[in-house]
Amino acid sequence: MARHWTRGAAGAVLALAGVVAAAGCSDDSGSPSGNSSKAASAASKAASAASSAASSLASQGSDALASASAEARRKLDEAKGGVQAKDDVTLGTPAIGGDGKATAKVTARNTADSGKSFAVQVNFTDTSGNLLDVVVVNIENVAAGASGEGTATSHRKLTGQVKTAVGTALRY
């Protein structure tokens, strides 16, 4: 997602630089004026400010993703004695709610011969596979041979087409 923000900001910078440069390149007679160097300076300052803003947005996105990933790892570590159960978990089609957050239904099928709980890491990605957010859904006390359901909700607003994938699923 950070790359998307950077490309969008870069496009805005180029457009702004072009507008600023065009506005100051000539006087009313159409001949070049001393304003062109002022326009170039303003365009340079605008490019620098937008680049800084893009870097800040990318950093915030990276920080949020790193934090969500660390929290997911912590929650999965709490599932003591868990066994891999990725094949027993299915995800519904993600949807973006009115609050901008993505949600997806999580279904865990308990193939064990006793009641179990599940910790499921759900990765929200864009269409290129870039990780946008990570959440862990706990589905508790699923009877033997039964299925349990939960809902994965992104921590932050996501835009565009969002996909989901099971990162890790533990039955414990």
Side-chain angles (χ1 to χ4, degrees):
M1 183 126 180
R3 282 185 252 164
H4 175 71
W5 288 338
T6 303
R7 281 191 297 245
V13 167
L14 292 175
L16 179 60
V19 169
V20 171
C25 285
S26 64
D27 60 19
D28 289 338
S29 67
S31 62
S33 71
N35 286 338
S36 63
S37 64
K38 289 179 185 175
S41 176
S44 176
K45 287 179 184 177
S48 177
S51 176
S52 177
S55 292
S56 176
L57 284 174
S59 175
Q60 289 172 10
S62 295
D63 290 348
L65 185 55
S67 177
S69 295
E71 178 66 11
R73 176 57 42 207
R74 186 188 66 71
K75 286 183 177 180
L76 288 171
D77 288 344
E78 290 176 357
K80 302 294 181 201
V83 297
Q84 193 59 250
K86 195 171 183 176
D87 291 340
D88 297 330
V89 174
T90 57
L91 301 176
T93 303
I96 305 293
D99 61 357
K101 293 182 179 182
T103 61
K105 180 178 167 184
V106 181
T107 304
R109 187 184 68 229
N110 184 4
T111 58
D113 56 1
S114 62
K116 299 291 181 180
S117 294
F118 292 80
V120 181
Q121 175 186 327
V122 178
N123 297 333
F124 290 97
T125 65
D126 64 15
T127 56
S128 298
N130 297 311
L131 190 61
L132 303 174
D133 204 355
V134 178
V135 299
V136 172
V137 175
N138 290 308
I139 302 172
E140 298 181 357
N141 304 318
V142 180
S147 292
E149 293 183 349
T151 302
T153 303
S154 64
H155 296 289
R156 56 195 179 102
K157 293 179 182 181
L158 301 179
T159 59
Q161 187 175 356
V162 177
K163 294 186 172 193
T164 55
V166 176
T168 300
L170 299 176
R171 182 181 65 225
Y172 60 98

